[in-house]
Amino acid sequence: MFPRLRWLCLPISKYLGLFLSHTLHHCHVFPGDPYHAISVDQLFTLSYHVRLCNQLVTLSCPPLDWATWEHLSNLRTLVKIKVCIRHGTPPRLLGPHILPFLHLTTLSFSVNNAAYATTMLQQLHFPSLKSFWIDMDVLASTEAEPLFCALSHCKQTLERLTVIFEEYDDPQSKSLTVIPQFLSFTQLRSLHLSSCDSCIHLDNDLLLEAMSAWPHIQTLKIEDCIIAPSVTFRGLFTAIRQCPQLESLRVLIDTVNIDIDPDAEPIQHTSLKKLHLEASESLGNAEVLARIIFKWLPCVDQVSYWEAWHEVNTHLVSLRTAALHDIGATLNT
């Protein structure tokens, strides 16, 4: 009915076959009811019609059967896949051999746990993968290690990595030492780790080790709610000197126990422009914090969007205004 259709966003239904055609380039299909798992019949219908598409560039869909993944692995045009499953049990992904997706560069998951993503990384091969993104409801301690181990198969090519989870499930410990799992990912340009469960461990030594391992990093975001900060300003500035291309940074930092002299001669980092610092306690001396940031990070105009930094940002504006006034006065003399 639509022989020249290129883009499609549609819930799974009996009418799906009217739209999925060999001309389709960009396809997003999803369960009609987001609160229920797709049925066996829906999965069969979806898998059958996806196998009719042979020009796909991007695909967003629930988990598919092995025959469909095998079909997709042969598409030279396909560069981006997103798998979405929040309810129900996905079909088993077991085949007679490893499937290579030679041209895929972006792989994403919106899932309730890590199991299906891990299986895909184990059963399918992504030699050109540059971006991996996963958003989970729960990351169980028993699933974390297999996921990160399977992901390491892409460490030579991966440039952008995002791991987001609401809850970390570990009956033995609430601390997840995840960053060392990624130290061998030497091509990273962007890393985003986010948890609502206060479990991601980061301190000065680990941050320095990470920054030394990722010389090309441009964006680093580690969001972890209310866990007590172990990174200090001295540790932060020591670490980011290893990454001259760093442009955006978000970490939890100790702003009360300041371990550098705000009047000392700084070693400036001139590429960092976006700075989001979180703290679990009151910020401490806002004027001192502003002087430190102004001297050491000259391209940062303001810190985060958190209301608690308002006073620091006000001091930053005053420092910049005074500096510009001094420059103007020097040029006029």
Side-chain angles (χ1 to χ4, degrees):
M1 292 182 64
F2 303 94
R4 304 175 72 175
L5 189 66
R6 296 291 186 271
W7 293 77
L8 174 66
C9 181
L10 189 72
I12 301 173
S13 70
K14 62 182 179 181
Y15 303 110
L16 193 61
L18 298 177
F19 299 93
L20 289 178
S21 70
H22 69 280
T23 64
L24 201 61
H25 288 183
H26 306 279
C27 180
H28 172 51
V29 291
F30 51 91
D33 185 345
Y35 297 101
H36 292 85
I38 64 172
S39 66
V40 174
D41 289 341
Q42 286 179 317
L43 175 65
F44 177 82
T45 299
L46 173 62
S47 297
Y48 171 78
H49 288 293
V50 167
R51 290 197 295 272
L52 299 179
C53 303
N54 53 28
Q55 296 184 41
L56 285 175
V57 178
T58 66
L59 173 65
S60 178
C61 63
L64 303 170
D65 60 24
W66 180 264
T68 308
W69 289 125
E70 190 166 25
H71 164 77
L72 294 171
S73 70
N74 292 315
L75 298 184
R76 298 177 60 88
T77 56
L78 188 61
V79 297
K80 182 178 181 179
I81 291 177
K82 181 176 182 179
V83 178
C84 307
I85 176 172
R86 291 292 187 179
H87 304 278
T89 303
R92 296 185 66 193
L93 187 60
L94 293 174
H97 52 81
I98 300 295
L99 290 179
F101 281 71
L102 299 180
H103 307 286
L104 199 79
T105 60
T106 302
L107 181 61
S108 305
F109 294 89
S110 180
V111 289
N112 48 6
N113 57 55
Y116 193 80
T118 301
T119 303
M120 277 195 67
L121 289 168
Q122 292 170 340
Q123 294 291 314
L124 312 180
H125 182 47
F126 305 99
S128 302
L129 196 67
K130 293 184 178 297
S131 178
F132 181 86
W133 184 93
I134 183 167
D135 181 358
M136 298 168 281
D137 294 332
V138 179
L139 176 61
S141 57
T142 54
E143 294 180 342
E145 184 71 25
L147 171 64
F148 300 142
C149 181
L151 191 56
S152 68
H153 297 160
C154 309
K155 64 184 180 182
Q156 300 299 329
T157 60
L158 209 60
E159 296 181 359
R160 295 174 296 279
L161 174 59
T162 298
V163 179
I164 301 171
F165 53 96
E166 296 293 320
E167 177 185 348
Y168 179 57
D169 182 13
D170 187 347
Q172 303 298 325
S173 171
K174 290 301 292 182
S175 178
L176 175 62
T177 308
V178 60
I179 294 176
Q181 305 280 352
F182 304 133
L183 294 179
S184 61
F185 292 56
T186 57
Q187 301 305 311
L188 277 182
R189 268 67 172 173
S190 173
L191 175 64
H192 182 191
L193 304 177
S194 180
S195 165
C196 291
D197 216 7
S198 302
C199 64
I200 299 175
H201 173 71
L202 181 67
D203 57 25
N204 286 342
D205 293 337
L206 188 52
L207 182 61
L208 176 59
E209 187 177 7
M211 295 288 93
S212 301
W214 305 325
H216 309 295
I217 198 79
Q218 297 172 350
T219 300
L220 176 64
K221 297 181 180 180
I222 301 177
E223 303 172 84
D224 198 36
C225 296
I226 330 173
I227 193 171
S230 298
V231 174
T232 67
F233 275 102
R234 181 180 296 276
L236 177 67
F237 293 138
T238 301
I240 64 176
R241 284 203 297 269
Q242 311 302 315
C243 301
Q245 300 178 53
L246 187 66
E247 297 179 358
S248 180
L249 176 67
R250 178 169 183 164
V251 293
L252 187 68
I253 192 168
D254 186 345
T255 58
V256 176
N257 302 304
I258 298 175
D259 57 350
I260 63 172
D261 182 357
D263 297 316
E265 188 66 26
I267 302 176
Q268 294 185 329
H269 191 288
T270 56
S271 69
L272 191 66
K273 298 179 177 64
K274 296 181 180 180
L275 182 64
H276 190 143
L277 298 179
E278 300 181 47
S280 61
E281 302 180 13
S282 60
L283 289 186
N285 192 315
E287 183 179 0
V288 170
L289 292 172
R291 284 162 53 199
I292 291 172
I293 293 165
F294 176 74
K295 286 187 173 183
W296 292 70
L297 305 172
C299 295
V300 172
D301 292 325
Q302 64 175 2
V303 183
S304 76
Y305 298 98
W306 187 29
E307 184 64 27
W309 284 92
H310 174 73
E311 188 177 354
V312 175
N313 289 331
T314 300
H315 284 296
L316 278 174
V317 171
S318 299
L319 290 169
R320 292 194 177 280
T321 302
L324 290 173
H325 180 269
D326 292 344
I327 293 173
T330 301
L331 292 175
N332 291 330
T333 56

